[in-house]
Amino acid sequence: MFTTGIVLAAGASRRLGQPKQLLPYRGTTLLDASLGTARDCGFGQLLVALGGAEDEVRRQVDLTGTEPVTVPGHGLGCGSSLSTAVTRVDPRADGVILLLGDQPGVGTDAVRGLLERAAHAPAGLCRYQDGPGHPLWFARSLFGELATLKGDKAAWKLLHSGRFEVAEHPVDRPVPRDVDTWDDYRALLAEPDPAAGR
């Protein structure tokens, strides 16, 4: 099966006041760490959606092995990132896995488990101990829907629409932390190295 990975990293980091993609994290940057996990998944294609602080990100983050996608409406929420990135998905792809550029605690085990569980379903998510979370899976049959998404939490609204099957992969740990605020960032830095669980 040919799978495209999409790392969402186009946010403007309004609550932080500086680009969260470039925050220091375990000897690299937050986005570098997330992209490292994405590369380890062995996707047939790896897209990274960029928008906020794109010039700085391109200068400071190692984008080797990825295809950067500029999101013109990046300030309008993740729906813009998805609707833009899906137009760049390889025609051979059976589906896409969505990852967040500010969530380095997601492991390759979660991605592989989700693919095994959801490969033949229209959509899928990870079910952690304390709720649902990324990575997410969308089959090619839903690409038309992804191309029309708008606003924040757009992918979740699609998953919760009740219009198609959503497979769930159980992951026996809490939802990995993502970074929206300085408190999130400090809490992330205080956590054990996520690489130990991969």
Side-chain angles (χ1 to χ4, degrees), residues 131-150:
H134 287 79
L136 307 179
W137 157 261
F138 291 99
R140 175 168 287 279
S141 61
L142 291 180
F143 283 10
E145 300 261 9
L146 295 180
T148 64
L149 292 182
K150 294 180 176 63

Side-chain angles (χ1 to χ4, degrees), residues 34-175:
S34 297
L35 289 178
T37 297
R39 289 190 193 92
D40 289 344
C41 292
F43 296 121
Q45 177 190 30
L46 179 56
L47 303 175
V48 55
L50 300 178
E54 179 175 0
D55 291 342
E56 295 96 322
V57 169
R58 285 180 179 268
R59 283 196 301 268
Q60 297 181 47
V61 174
D62 180 8
L63 298 176
T64 304
T66 76
E67 297 176 36
V69 177
T70 298
V71 180
H74 65 270
L76 302 176
C78 71
S80 297
S81 293
L82 291 175
S83 60
T84 302
V86 76
T87 66
R88 298 277 296 276
V89 171
D90 191 294
R92 297 171 292 174
D94 298 291
V96 298
I97 288 282
L98 301 186
L99 296 159
L100 300 180
D102 64 347
Q103 195 176 40
V106 169
T108 56
D109 58 331
V111 173
R112 291 170 183 149
L114 177 61
L115 282 172
E116 290 175 8
R117 179 77 58 142
H120 300 294
L125 55 80
C126 286
R127 175 65 64 176
Y128 294 90
Q129 293 170 339
D130 51 350
H134 287 79
L136 307 179
W137 157 261
F138 291 99
R140 175 168 287 279
S141 61
L142 291 180
F143 283 10
E145 300 261 9
L146 295 180
T148 64
L149 292 182
K150 294 180 176 63
D152 204 17
K153 305 293 183 186
W156 288 105
K157 291 173 185 174
L158 182 58
L159 288 172
H160 295 318
S161 67
R163 294 187 287 109
F164 45 81
E165 176 193 358
V166 179
E168 296 190 0
H169 168 57
V171 183
D172 190 21
R173 58 179 181 269
V175 175

Side-chain angles (χ1 to χ4, degrees), residues 7 9 18-37 39 48 50 53 56-63 100-105 179 185 188-189 194 198:
V7 177
Q18 69 182 72
K20 62 182 174 181
Q21 301 93 325
L22 305 178
L23 290 173
Y25 181 74
R26 302 191 185 279
T28 183
T29 68
L30 200 58
L31 180 53
D32 274 304
S34 297
L35 289 178
T37 297
R39 289 190 193 92
V48 55
L50 300 178
E56 295 96 322
V57 169
R58 285 180 179 268
R59 283 196 301 268
Q60 297 181 47
V61 174
D62 180 8
L63 298 176
L100 300 180
D102 64 347
Q103 195 176 40
V179 175
Y185 178 53
L188 177 67
L189 293 180
R198 289 177 189 159

